[in-house]
Amino acid sequence: MRTAPADIKGFAYRTVMRVTELPTVAREWRPDLNLLVRVASSTDMEALTQLGKAGVSNLALLTAEPSLYEKSEFPSVLELVEPLNEGDVAEVTPGRTGVHVLFRESDVHHTVFLTNRCNSRCLMCSQPPTRQDDSWLADEAIRVAMHMRISPKTVGFTGGEPLILGGKLREVIDAFATSHPDTKVDLLTNGRLLADPLLAHDLLSDMRHPITWLVPLYGHADFLHDFVVQAPGAFDQTIGGLLTLHSHGQRIQLRIVLVEPVLRYLPELCEFICRNLPFVSEVALMGCEPIGFALANRDTCEVDIFEWGEELEVSVKRLVRGGLFPVLMNLPLCTIQPELWRYAHQSISDWKRTFVAECDSCVVKNNCSGLFAWHEKGWRPATIKAIREG
Ligand code: SF4
């Protein structure tokens, strides 16, 4: 999540707002929306004040001018350094020195964070879970859906484990379905709680909105999957959840993060998937994000993917032979065999992605996932070497 440095005053509570320009307030205003209106001059300030006096409610001031901020009687945000964009959905919290950007129209990848709680403790978890009740995040997600001006092609729901929200998750999905019927949802979940028939019924009955369930599977047997997710019984529950999703006609992408214990048995796992889970739409093989628990478990998570080229190739070929669609994610092209490039995706979110100096002379840079920005802190998953010929 991006944070734009800012001074904040006059807000009583955490508020979701849409950034807008003064000339468009009349067109965009609705009583259930909060508008953060950009003002650059005292003339504009006067116009905003007139709108307030005329009864236009839920307006706040956004400015880069300290004098306007000081004099303002509206709840106000003073932009420092990095300006917010028109159409941004931002969260403003009293007492904070920054504004969280929850949605930006120009981004390629859009993610809605639903909870930080989780019932697993994966070795490479990029978002280490906490136990505190954060169910307000689901309400905030509903407000984000209302405040989004455009309907992007896809929105990703993530956590934590979103299924912990139970029926509230259905409310979030329905809010997006109502405000953005053409937006597909990618929902990242470990699938374990879907083994519970009651929760599955509450969540999935009459579900018509297009969702792809992104479900991690780390082993062909319980000893491996349960070890990677650090939760006894998880393998059986996840398989149960996958069967439930299939019985409700849901689209599934399996997600396999390529850490050392998983790579050791990757061909067996792909064989297991082909034989037992042939209904899944895609199988994503993903480079590990060097953040969170992965940094604490470097011995198992920091792998040179180039050294596992044979296992990767065998596994991809097995999936293809089984009629399944492999997707390679977070893997720089120079770290995998050219025969596998056709399966590689530019999967790293814009704001997380970086390239190194070596990439400047690389002819495939435009098609490459690049590296996670955090790799600059010392994580070297593989030797990066520019490709000279296409
Ligand atoms: S050198 Fe850089 S741009 Fe080229 S394939 Fe490797 S990571 Fe990608």
Side-chain angles (χ1 to χ4, degrees):
M1 189 191 302
R2 276 192 208 88
T3 302
D7 285 346
I8 294 164
K9 72 171 191 181
F11 288 86
Y13 46 83
R14 186 176 168 117
T15 310
V16 173
M17 313 204 79
R18 179 196 295 165
V19 175
T20 191
E21 303 293 323
L22 192 57
T24 58
V25 168
R27 196 170 67 234
E28 294 192 16
W29 186 86
R30 284 187 350 218
D32 56 345
L33 295 184
N34 300 306
L35 298 180
L36 188 54
V37 186
R38 187 183 303 284
V39 165
S41 65
S42 48
T43 312
D44 288 352
M45 190 69 220
E46 180 56 29
L48 184 68
T49 305
Q50 290 306 323
L51 285 172
K53 283 184 180 159
V56 180
S57 57
N58 303 335
L59 301 179
L61 169 77
L62 173 65
T63 185
E65 292 298 325
S67 60
L68 295 177
Y69 175 78
E70 291 304 329
K71 285 189 213 143
S72 168
E73 293 180 3
F74 288 91
S76 302
V77 173
L78 176 65
E79 291 173 311
L80 308 166
V81 193
E82 186 192 342
L84 294 163
N85 294 349
E86 186 180 3
D88 279 357
V89 179
E91 169 257 301
V92 185
T93 300
R96 228 197 248 136
T97 53
V99 173
H100 283 155
V101 179
L102 303 175
F103 176 83
R104 175 158 285 174
E105 293 178 352
S106 58
D107 283 348
V108 177
H109 301 95
H110 301 284
T111 302
V112 179
F113 184 68
L114 295 178
T115 180
N116 205 42
R117 291 170 288 161
C118 190
N119 51 352
S120 295
R121 290 288 182 277
C122 301
L123 291 175
M124 64 301 211
C125 177
S126 60
Q127 181 75 37
T130 47
R131 295 185 198 282
Q132 287 81 12
D133 179 7
D134 56 6
S135 44
W136 52 270
L137 279 169
D139 291 315
E140 187 166 280
I142 291 169
R143 299 206 46 79
V144 169
M146 286 167 52
H147 281 78
M148 285 161 52
R149 231 176 23 165
I150 61 157
S151 297
K153 197 166 156 230
T154 306
V155 166
F157 288 177
T158 188
E161 171 48 53
L163 290 177
I164 280 180
L165 299 172
K168 192 79 186 179
L169 176 58
R170 180 61 188 260
E171 284 183 41
V172 177
I173 293 168
D174 288 348
F176 273 82
T178 302
S179 299
H180 307 282
D182 296 327
T183 297
K184 293 184 196 140
V185 170
D186 284 348
L187 201 161
L188 181 60
T189 169
N190 62 40
R192 294 173 57 192
L193 292 172
L194 284 173
D196 171 357
L198 271 181
L199 186 142
H201 177 268
D202 284 356
L203 193 59
L204 297 172
S205 54
D206 298 324
M207 175 78 81
R208 291 199 181 83
H209 197 66
I211 299 178
T212 299
W213 299 78
L214 315 176
V215 183
L217 187 66
Y218 297 125
H220 59 296
D222 55 1
F223 79 90
L224 182 52
H225 181 82
D226 291 2
F227 167 69
V228 174
V229 306
Q230 295 284 291
F235 178 77
D236 290 347
Q237 291 168 336
T238 293
I239 297 296
L242 289 168
L243 295 174
T244 301
L245 288 171
H246 176 52
S247 69
H248 282 81
Q250 295 295 303
R251 189 173 190 277
I252 300 167
Q253 182 194 78
L254 289 180
R255 300 205 135 190
I256 302 171
V257 179
L258 302 173
V259 293
E260 197 264 346
V262 174
L263 279 160
R264 229 186 296 156
Y265 292 97
L266 190 61
E268 286 87 344
L269 173 54
C270 292
E271 180 71 29
F272 174 87
I273 293 166
C274 290
R275 286 181 184 275
N276 299 291
L277 306 169
F279 49 81
V280 302
S281 304
E282 294 171 348
V283 180
L285 304 172
M286 310 173 65
C288 179
E289 189 169 356
I291 194 170
F293 285 162
L295 294 177
N297 296 307
R298 280 183 95 136
D299 51 335
T300 46
C301 299
E302 186 176 20
V303 296
D304 182 342
I305 204 68
F306 191 76
E307 291 174 0
W308 294 88
E310 197 179 324
E311 286 80 357
L312 198 57
E313 198 174 346
V314 167
S315 302
V316 167
K317 282 185 177 161
R318 180 64 192 98
L319 292 171
V320 171
R321 245 196 354 267
L324 294 176
F325 192 77
V327 181
L328 302 182
M329 299 172 73
N330 315 343
L331 298 177
L333 293 178
C334 57
T335 67
I336 58 176
Q337 306 282 359
E339 299 78 58
L340 302 185
W341 287 0
R342 78 177 86 162
Y343 304 111
H345 280 224
Q346 291 180 294
S347 48
I348 300 178
S349 306
D350 340 25
W351 60 278
K352 288 184 183 179
R353 186 177 60 195
T354 191
F355 290 93
V356 292
E358 177 75 10
C359 304
D360 292 345
S361 58
C362 180
V363 296
V364 297
K365 184 176 177 186
N366 287 343
N367 298 320
C368 180
S369 73
L371 300 141
F372 283 106
W374 353 111
H375 101 109
E376 285 161 356
K377 293 180 185 155
W379 186 279
R380 293 276 166 195
T383 306
I384 300 302
K385 188 145 182 42
I387 309 289
R388 307 286 180 200
E389 290 172 18

